[in-house]
Amino acid sequence: MSEDLIGVVNAGSSSLKFSIYQGDACLLNGQVDGIGVRPAAKAKTGAGEALPPPDLSAVPPTTPAEALVALMPWLQDWLAGRRLAAIGHRVVHGGPNHAAPQRVTAALLDELAAFVPLAPLHQPHNLSPIRATMERNPSLPQVACFDTGFHRTIPEVAQVFALPWEMAERGIRRYGFHGLSYEYIASVLPQAAPEIAGGRVVVAHLGNGASLCAMKAGRSMATTMGFSALDGLPMGTRCGQLDPAVVLHLMTAEGMDAKAVEALLYRKSGMLGLSGVSSDFRDLLASDVPRARFAIEVFVHQVARNVASLAAALGGLDGLVFTAGVGENAAAIRQAVCEACGWMGVELDHAANAARGPRITAAGSRVAGYVIPTDENLMIARHTRAVLG
Ligand code: AMP
């Protein structure tokens, strides 16, 4: 079974990432960006060598499902007669009842489609490539891996909003996201950071989307994202935690409708909205524009405040782990967060931080800090293989 090739698909609203795994080895990585606008594909081997990308110019895909279909001839060429044993998909929302990865059936797809209103910007794009594959190749097993699944261990007190109880029963509660990333980190902690793996750890997944997860012995106990992937930390273009009265004000006093508020909160806020410069941390760190600096300060302030909030949920803190694009690459951001968390016992080793760790705190630091690269696609490949059994 470990010799079988597993495809991994991670589809978003305007991009589709794909990989092929054999065992834990990644053989192929690619992505189509700009779907619906100006689609462009790129691909590289697992070792990072660029490959001639798929040519999508004949019929430019307008949806992630069309992108996957358009990729198929190129993938068939690459496979050169070998066949995929299955495709694993990242599905953002498993709702209250689906935590463990599951083989996709038509019935499961219908059930997952019911969660589209809970994640309107992600769920439809996750499901449409599954449906398209099922229609074209019904015998190819597909597995749905849920980003909410890892957080089902969160105690109920940390899952509910203080709304009328019936609302929680209707599914209006905190779910949490980035679960595949956190699950990967939890899986490698015993080797990568054995002294904290069994303890109280906050993992900071800081990328274009950003959240924190409080783990006790590798299990999720609290997280900053909630009902949607909008809550918690400010992100590239998402606002993060917001007083709900702001939304009421925008709708009642400023006449914005739901679509306009959605566009504001998901696409025009966060680092982009604050800085007026970019949603990309590389641009912000390189910028002299004062509001770009200020946006980074707001981000660091919120990360540090929320680390403390999650440490409270854990009853203390033994470890702080940075991961994802910003967490793995931006030493200046890690330094600022660690300094703001100094009062909790985080004592940075500057040279180790500049060298990307993996351990970035001083020998005597009460809290051990680490940089650990995440790998959501490998997690999906492992789950898919396990579900195939
Ligand atoms: P992700 O969503 O995990 O792919 O992370 C994307 C974010 O990581 C973007 O905001 C990038 O600017 C940021 N990023 C990637 N590389 C670096 C780097 N070397 N320094 C700072 N930020 C980076």
Side-chain angles (χ1 to χ4, degrees):
M1 184 60 78
S2 67
E3 295 306 306
D4 284 343
L5 298 183
I6 303 286
V8 170
V9 171
N10 183 346
S13 56
S14 65
S15 71
L16 182 131
K17 297 180 186 153
F18 59 95
S19 306
I20 307 265
Y21 281 83
Q22 185 167 38
D24 273 359
C26 179
L27 305 185
L28 175 71
N29 249 320
Q31 79 186 69
V32 183
D33 288 314
I35 295 170
V37 190
R38 206 177 315 116
K42 55 188 177 192
K44 54 189 183 184
T45 65
E49 290 157 29
L51 291 169
D55 178 8
L56 306 176
S57 60
V59 188
T62 59
T63 63
E66 287 177 13
L68 186 59
V69 172
L71 281 174
M72 283 304 171
W74 183 90
L75 270 176
Q76 294 296 351
D77 280 352
W78 183 87
L79 284 165
R82 293 170 296 174
R83 48 178 286 281
L84 293 179
I87 300 184
H89 296 263
R90 179 185 190 187
V91 174
V92 76
H93 222 303
N97 299 328
H98 299 285
Q102 233 174 308
R103 176 110 176 229
V104 177
T105 60
L108 177 65
L109 262 190
D110 288 345
E111 224 184 299
L112 296 177
F115 306 133
V116 165
L118 301 189
L121 299 191
H122 295 92
Q123 193 83 341
H125 308 296
N126 300 155
L127 299 186
S128 63
I130 305 181
R131 215 178 277 283
T133 306
M134 201 181 243
E135 282 162 10
R136 277 162 188 78
N137 194 348
S139 62
L140 178 63
Q142 298 192 85
V143 173
C145 301
F146 306 110
D147 240 347
T148 45
F150 185 69
H151 298 297
R152 295 276 55 82
T153 50
I154 293 180
E156 204 170 19
V157 287
Q159 279 194 37
V160 296
F161 296 114
L163 291 169
W165 178 250
E166 315 82 74
M167 299 222 164
E169 288 179 336
R170 291 201 331 244
I172 300 174
R173 56 202 250 191
R174 288 180 212 282
Y175 290 93
F177 298 89
H178 290 139
L180 292 159
S181 173
Y182 292 128
E183 189 181 8
Y184 175 79
I185 298 293
S187 77
V188 298
L189 268 187
Q191 288 78 43
E195 79 278 26
I196 56 170
R200 301 159 298 181
V201 176
V202 170
V203 181
H205 177 110
L206 309 180
N208 190 39
S211 71
L212 306 178
C213 176
M215 289 182 197
K216 196 174 266 181
R219 287 157 65 88
S220 178
M221 304 304 285
T223 187
T224 54
M225 280 178 170
F227 177 69
S228 72
L230 196 55
D231 201 4
L233 306 176
M235 305 175 219
T237 62
R238 284 172 257 170
C239 62
Q241 187 183 20
L242 185 73
D243 180 341
V246 173
V247 174
L248 297 176
H249 172 82
L250 293 174
M251 297 183 87
T252 55
E254 300 202 8
M256 286 173 82
D257 64 12
K259 275 270 158 257
V261 173
E262 182 181 283
L264 174 79
L265 303 184
Y266 275 95
R267 299 201 187 90
K268 300 179 189 166
S269 298
M271 297 296 101
L272 176 65
L274 277 173
S275 70
V277 170
S278 174
S279 63
D280 191 305
F281 277 84
R282 278 169 295 203
D283 298 336
L284 299 177
L285 288 163
S287 173
D288 294 329
V289 175
R291 280 205 288 134
R293 298 267 121 208
F294 182 67
I296 291 175
E297 282 174 30
V298 172
F299 180 75
V300 169
H301 172 80
Q302 288 297 336
V303 173
R305 265 181 72 160
N306 280 278
V307 169
S309 164
L310 293 193
L314 290 170
L317 189 64
D318 302 308
L320 177 59
V321 175
F322 292 91
T323 195
V326 176
E328 292 168 28
N329 297 301
I333 304 273
R334 290 196 301 267
Q335 177 178 336
V337 169
C338 286
E339 284 172 357
C341 293
W343 64 274
M344 283 185 279
V346 182
E347 195 190 325
L348 195 67
D349 175 331
H350 291 269
N353 183 44
R356 208 185 290 191
R359 190 178 155 122
I360 58 170
T361 40
S365 181
R366 222 165 355 106
V367 175
Y370 279 87
V371 180
I372 302 179
T374 193
D375 197 340
E376 291 157 303
N377 285 357
L378 174 57
M379 212 62 236
I380 295 171
R382 285 179 181 166
H383 280 312
T384 302
R385 191 170 304 104
V387 168
L388 288 187

